Amino acid sequence: MAAKATTGDEYVDQFEDPAARERLAALRELVTSTAPELLEQIKWSSLAYVHPDGVIMLMVSGHKAHANVAFTPSTREHFDGELGDFHTGKGSVKLPYDAAVPTATLARMIEHRVREYERDGVKWM
């Protein structure tokens, strides 16, 4: 059994599918360029982006055919109109490896999530 990832690089490298590694690397770059103050950690075997105060802002996970980005339900709901045909969950957006990523929308979602925590005190789920 392979060792559990303890860093973002190890997390991405554990995926055999180049499309998965590419998508996860692009999402990491998007998060760090949009909100460089967030700290990348591994939580629940996924990438977690944590406010310096210790509160999770969002999570990114890789799966067989898609990546998943999870925000608070309030953040995801705020952007429902921009997510089009993407499958969504309570606070998540499923991003198939063979589909274009709504980068501008995700960047606004990241910014919104940080603001909703800093301004309104919205914690993690």
Side-chain angles (χ1 to χ4, degrees):
M1 181 178 208
K4 287 188 176 185
T6 59
T7 68
D9 288 338
E10 289 176 0
Y11 182 81
V12 171
D13 289 344
Q14 73 185 346
F15 290 87
E16 293 180 19
D17 183 356
R21 287 194 307 271
E22 184 178 309
R23 176 62 47 88
L24 291 167
L27 290 170
R28 288 177 74 200
E29 174 59 30
L30 177 64
V31 175
T32 58
S33 66
T34 302
E37 71 276 17
L38 301 184
L39 307 171
E40 184 180 75
Q41 299 177 358
I42 303 294
K43 292 189 180 283
W44 303 292
S45 299
S46 297
L47 295 171
Y49 293 89
V50 179
H51 192 276
D53 290 350
V55 174
I56 296 171
M57 296 291 104
L58 67 136
M59 296 191 67
V60 175
S61 58
H63 304 275
K64 184 176 181 178
H66 71 279
N68 198 53
V69 182
F71 298 94
T72 54
S74 54
T75 293
R76 203 263 313 137
E77 289 166 6
H78 187 83
F79 290 89
D80 272 349
E82 296 182 47
L83 294 172
D85 293 331
F86 289 98
H87 292 284
T88 59
K90 182 177 177 182
S92 63
V93 181
K94 187 185 285 189
L95 303 168
Y97 296 136
D98 62 355
V101 175
T103 305
T105 299
L106 289 175
R108 288 193 305 280
M109 291 176 81
I110 294 164
E111 292 166 345
H112 177 87
R113 171 64 187 121
V114 172
R115 269 194 318 276
E116 82 170 356
Y117 169 67
E118 292 179 344
R119 183 186 63 210
D120 303 326
V122 177
K123 305 258 186 201
W124 188 241
M125 297 183 251

